[in-house]
């Protein structure tokens, strides 16, 4: 989409203000309705509208493997051929409703999270109250060896469903035999037979790679045996499990964003993760997600103030709420350093808050790209933990119909940024900046952002099956 002269001026001016640490606050700086604007170092390469089968439901998470992107959607998921990102195209869509369709891929297996109580586990299911014992929610597993025709092969029911999921590879002798799925869920109720309080745990699914149809819940470790943060003023919800977990498997650690708590885990024993550190923050309403720095000495936690539906990127909310919090890990403890929030104020009709992102693999610096719903996506540098700064961005103006939406997830993969927009589909974006240019030489075989893998000396470190190949069951 071409930019008008005014849009380019707005984009450039906002970038200057953001880099200077000043608020881009004036109403005149808010882009025109539906206009695409971005910083001068960012290019909007391509937009691919949602395929017709799932056009009526919203896009969510993204996973990558080889030349393909897997985009979750409340109505199912789509597979995109991104071999040439400038000509990326949808290959297939699977209609299989069930919020919120968090996705992870490994070899020929795609795992999708269902946090919507259904009358059965099929793709033809309809919504049914969780008060009914026979209702189902949890994880669906698909064989995606044929990208044009994915096959649904297994469902695993989990307590309170699966709001998000995190793929954890096995280790040692187990490495090529099993993968594990850490399932995060919450909001129990006394009248939910399969989701009764207290629910201070996660579910762990063990998936045998040679027989994925034998996948089952193998453990349900309690994260908060004495209860979590439940009484802090301003919490969106009291802690009752975790919202999302990011693992750094090669280092045997994980970070949990657990509603009212930020947590570090030791995951040497994949079926028995141990909490090693906890923290709370009076400015955080909902600990939503986590990202480690490449050296695992820092963790960025996000606060989804307003649950993703409120306009919190404004002067009234301020810079320290609905933001990222940067922590350094010092002698095993989480030590707060600073907040980061986009300085580009949004219209009061625009839902905007910190959301899903990933590292950009730049040697010697800590840089990530992150979605902010209708705040678009932000590229920012937290190398100095005390002075994070935005270095680039992409966003759309308020929707002309006054509705909400925006970019749910924004991830960097093999030279390009991909953004899953609620309504607009899949955006392909490129940044050209001296701070990020070295990332162009890093290549990964696979990217599940909640399963971090290190990059070293300008080369990606992506062990395990890539391009859809591996041992057993096409995996």
């Amino acid at each position: 989409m071409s930019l008008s002269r005014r849009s380019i001026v707005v984009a450039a001016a906002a970038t200057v203000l953001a880099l200077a640490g000043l608020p881009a606050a004036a109403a005149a700086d808010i882009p025109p309705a539906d206009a695409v604007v971005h910083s001068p170092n960012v290019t909007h390469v391509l937009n691919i509208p949602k395929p017709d089968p799932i056009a009526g439901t919203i896009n969510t998470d993204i996973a990558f493997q080889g030349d393909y992107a897997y985009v979750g959607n409340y109505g199912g998921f789509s597979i995109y051929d991104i071999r040439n990102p400038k000509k990326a195209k949808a290959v297939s869509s699977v209609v299989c409703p069930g919020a919120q369709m968090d996705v992870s891929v490994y070899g020929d297996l795609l795992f999708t999270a269902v946090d919507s109580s259904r009358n059965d586990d099929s793709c033809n299911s309809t919504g049914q109250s969780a008060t009914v014992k026979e209702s189902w929610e949890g994880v669906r597993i698909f064989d995606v060896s044929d990208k044009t025709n994915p096959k649904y092969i297994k469902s695993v029911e989990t307590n309170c469903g699966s709001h998000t999921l995190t793929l954890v590879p096995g280790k040692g002798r187990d490495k090529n035999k099993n993968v594990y799925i850490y399932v995060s869920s919450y909001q129990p109720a006394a009248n939910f037979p399969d989701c009764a309080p207290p629910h201070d745990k996660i579910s762990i699914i063990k998936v045998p790679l040679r027989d994925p149809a034998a996948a089952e819940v193998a453990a349900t470790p309690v994260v908060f045996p004495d209860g979590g943060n439940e009484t802090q003023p301003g919490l969106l919800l009291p802690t009752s499990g975790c919202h999302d977990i990011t693992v750094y498997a090669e280092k045997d650690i994980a970070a949990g964003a657990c509603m009212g708590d930020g947590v570090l885990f030791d995951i040497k024993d994949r079926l028995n993760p141990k909490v090693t550190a906890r923290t709370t923050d009076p400015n955080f309403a909902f600990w939503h997600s986590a990202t480690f720095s490449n050296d695992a000495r820092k963790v960025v936690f996000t606060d989804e103030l307003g649950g993703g539906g409120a306009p919190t990127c404004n002067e009234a909310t301020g810079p320290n709420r609905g933001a990222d919090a940067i922590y350094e890990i010092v002698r095993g403890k989480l030590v707060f350093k600073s907040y980061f929030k986009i300085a580009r104020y949004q219209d009061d009709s625009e839902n905007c808050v910190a959301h899903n992102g990933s590292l950009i693999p730049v040697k010697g610096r800590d840089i990530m790209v992150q979605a902010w719903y209708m705040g678009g996506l932000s590229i920012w540098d937290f190398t100095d933990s005390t002075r994070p700064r935005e270095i680039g961005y992409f966003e759309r103006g308020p929707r002309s119909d006054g509705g909400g939406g925006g970019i749910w997830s924004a991830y960097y993969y093999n030279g390009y940024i991909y953004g899953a927009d609620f309504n607009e589909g899949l955006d392909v974006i490129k940044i050209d900046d001296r701070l990020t240019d070295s990332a162009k030489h890093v290549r990964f075989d696979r990217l599940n952002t909640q399963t971090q893998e290190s990059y070293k000396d300008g080369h990606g470190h992506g062990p395990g099956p890539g391009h859809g190949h591996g041992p057993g069951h096409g995996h």
Side-chain angles (χ1 to χ4, degrees), residues 241-246 255-259 261-263 287-290 301-302:
C242 291
H243 176 273
D244 208 351
I245 296 172
T246 294
C258 301
M259 307 173 68
D261 295 80
V263 176
W287 294 70
H288 177 274
S289 52
F301 287 103
T302 67

Side-chain angles (χ1 to χ4, degrees), residues 50-54 76-80 90-95 147-148 150:
K50 290 181 292 184
D52 288 343
I54 54 173
F77 65 89
S78 297
I79 302 176
Y80 293 79
V91 176
S92 62
S93 292
V94 172
V95 176
K147 305 297 185 289
T148 66

Side-chain angles (χ1 to χ4, degrees), residues 71-148:
V71 180
N73 179 289
Y74 268 53
F77 65 89
S78 297
I79 302 176
Y80 293 79
D81 182 339
I82 57 170
R83 186 173 302 128
N84 181 350
K86 296 178 181 179
K87 298 181 179 180
K89 59 183 179 181
V91 176
S92 62
S93 292
V94 172
V95 176
C96 199
Q100 62 181 15
M101 212 56 67
D102 212 25
V103 291
S104 283
V105 64
Y106 194 93
D108 289 333
L109 300 179
L110 182 73
F111 303 91
T112 67
V114 179
D115 190 25
S116 167
S117 188
R118 319 294 297 174
N119 67 331
D120 60 45
D121 65 352
S122 75
C123 287
N124 297 317
S125 65
T126 58
Q128 178 171 283
S129 173
T131 61
V132 178
K133 173 64 178 173
E134 291 74 25
S135 295
W136 179 90
E137 53 187 326
V139 172
R140 295 184 179 123
I141 306 174
F142 294 83
D143 181 333
V144 292
S145 53
D146 181 352
K147 305 297 185 289
T148 66

Side-chain angles (χ1 to χ4, degrees), residues 187-409:
Q187 284 192 285
N191 61 337
F192 292 171
D194 297 321
C195 183
H199 181 76
D200 291 320
K201 62 186 178 182
I202 63 174
S203 297
I204 302 178
I205 299 171
K206 182 178 181 179
V207 184
L209 295 178
R210 294 187 181 278
D211 185 15
E216 62 182 0
V217 174
T220 53
V222 176
V223 179
F224 303 104
D226 301 317
N229 182 10
E230 300 176 358
T231 59
Q232 176 184 308
L235 287 180
L236 180 67
L237 291 169
T239 298
S240 59
C242 291
H243 176 273
D244 208 351
I245 296 172
T246 294
V247 302
Y248 206 148
E250 67 197 73
K251 297 181 183 294
D252 287 330
I253 58 174
C258 301
M259 307 173 68
D261 295 80
V263 176
L264 290 180
F265 295 95
D266 179 325
I267 60 166
K268 291 187 186 73
D269 181 346
R270 299 294 196 245
L271 289 173
N272 190 26
K274 298 286 190 182
V275 173
T276 58
R278 281 177 60 185
T279 191
T280 60
D281 185 328
N283 282 320
F284 262 43
F286 191 82
W287 294 70
H288 177 274
S289 52
T291 303
F292 286 102
S293 59
N294 187 53
D295 62 10
R297 295 178 180 176
K298 303 173 187 175
V299 186
V300 174
F301 287 103
T302 67
D303 172 25
E304 195 185 39
L305 175 69
T312 71
C313 297
N314 51 31
E315 187 174 12
T317 304
N320 298 337
R321 300 173 63 239
D324 298 317
I326 303 165
Y327 286 80
E328 292 185 358
I329 302 173
V330 181
R331 293 186 290 277
K333 303 300 181 184
L334 290 164
V335 179
F336 172 79
K337 290 297 178 178
S338 68
Y339 296 109
F340 170 77
K341 188 174 182 180
I342 59 172
R344 295 170 283 107
Y345 288 166
Q346 305 295 304
D347 187 79
D348 286 342
S349 69
E350 295 181 279
N351 55 300
C352 174
V353 73
H355 214 239
N356 294 350
S358 73
L359 292 182
I360 297 179
V362 176
K363 183 182 178 182
R365 301 196 72 85
D366 299 316
I367 299 177
M368 69 181 289
V369 59
Q370 183 178 2
W372 289 79
Y373 288 121
M374 291 196 72
L377 62 83
S378 175
I379 301 150
W380 61 288
D381 186 331
F382 63 103
T383 306
D384 182 343
S385 301
T386 65
R387 299 186 65 186
R389 64 191 185 103
E390 183 173 77
I391 62 174
Y393 73 90
F394 168 93
E395 68 167 296
R396 290 180 170 88
R399 290 177 62 80
S400 56
D401 63 7
I407 296 179
W408 176 291
S409 52

